[in-house]
Amino acid sequence: MNSAIVRALLVRGMLAGLGAALPALIFAYLVGEGPVDAAIAFESAHAGGHGEEELVSRTVQSTAGLATGVLVFGVAIGGIAALAFCFALGRVGRFSARATAALTALAAFLLVYLVPMLKYPANPPAVGNPDTIGKRTTLFFLMIVLTVLLGIAAVLLGRRLAPRWGNWNASVAAGAAFVAAVTIAAVILPSGENTPHGFPANDLWEFRLASIGMQAVLWAGFGLLFGHLAERVLEPRTATATPSRTPTPVA
């Protein structure tokens, strides 16, 4: 794949990420802001009136701040996912551009978000000890790196076993090896749980479901949009001239 095509796909990946971020933003605002407000109220109630003064108002945080964060994140992950698509195209099977884009989005959702979140679940912004945020962030990104590397290793293992075991058996074996390796990594890594005692479990559960839902909307939208755009780059439709027909004279 030459550099011009990679560049075109990169730009379209960023555009697809931006487009996918719009419904994710709406979902985050409608579903996720309620649990965040509940977490802030909990923190304020337990601060005894000595909470730090907000540099940015809650209204700005929940509107312009949320929009900026989600849209910038969408553009960034769109570009990264487009590069991953360029690497995966033709290497994971004889899939079309749309199918490869869908598989790339699904793999990104699982490896970059869902699997690491099982070890280090999302917490509302106001929840947790601020002194440990650096450690928790480091552990979360370490889990992402390990999950991505183990996912790539599982794909390579499946491709290596496929000629001898068949595609189905090789896929099952590679998937089982991935689950086992991720489980071992999750057991070895330290816990990052830092939810304060007495925090409402219902609010925490709703926030985590909202977080999963937002990521699912984002990656599903990216897979659909980028698949369409990538197909137009890689499989352009060539216009074929339709031969004119000479009317047959009626006797």
Side-chain angles (χ1 to χ4, degrees):
M1 188 179 296
N2 61 52
S3 59
I5 294 179
V6 173
R7 184 165 56 250
L9 290 173
L10 175 62
V11 172
R12 282 157 178 79
M14 296 171 71
L15 291 175
L18 179 62
L22 294 175
L25 171 61
I26 296 173
F27 183 94
Y29 182 78
L30 295 178
V31 181
E33 284 302 305
V36 172
D37 288 336
I40 293 175
F42 176 88
E43 182 188 44
S44 300
H46 288 75
H50 301 289
E52 295 182 0
E53 183 180 354
E54 290 183 341
L55 298 178
V56 181
S57 69
R58 175 65 187 136
T59 301
V60 174
Q61 291 176 14
S62 61
T63 53
L66 177 65
T68 301
V70 173
L71 295 178
V72 170
F73 178 74
V75 173
I77 61 97
I80 296 172
L83 296 178
F85 168 88
C86 294
F87 176 80
L89 187 65
R91 290 185 172 91
V92 295
R94 296 181 179 180
F95 297 107
S96 65
R98 283 180 182 266
T100 304
L103 289 174
T104 301
L106 177 61
F109 172 68
L110 293 175
L111 300 180
V112 177
Y113 180 76
L114 188 60
V115 174
M117 198 212 69
L118 296 177
K119 173 63 178 178
Y120 299 113
N123 280 341
V127 172
N129 184 358
D131 296 334
T132 63
I133 189 171
K135 176 184 176 181
R136 287 182 282 131
T137 302
T138 301
L139 289 173
F140 181 69
F141 278 102
L142 176 60
M143 189 65 189
I144 291 177
V145 172
L146 288 175
T147 305
V148 171
L149 292 177
L150 290 173
I152 295 173
V155 172
L156 296 176
L157 177 63
R159 286 174 56 86
R160 194 178 192 90
L161 296 178
R164 289 178 293 169
W165 292 18
N167 290 333
W168 174 257
N169 292 332
S171 299
V172 171
F178 171 77
V179 171
V182 167
T183 302
I184 294 173
V187 171
I188 293 175
L189 289 175
S191 173
E193 185 62 36
N194 198 33
T195 306
H197 179 71
F199 187 83
N202 186 59
D203 293 336
L204 186 62
W205 178 244
E206 286 182 358
F207 177 82
R208 289 174 177 175
L209 285 180
S211 178
I212 295 173
M214 190 198 79
Q215 291 286 334
V217 170
L218 179 67
W219 286 111
F222 173 81
L224 293 173
L225 289 173
F226 183 67
H228 171 71
L229 296 176
E231 185 180 58
R232 297 186 64 177
V233 172
L234 298 172
E235 304 170 13
R237 294 172 181 162
T238 56
T240 56
T242 304
S244 59
R245 295 182 179 178
T246 304
T248 303
V250 179

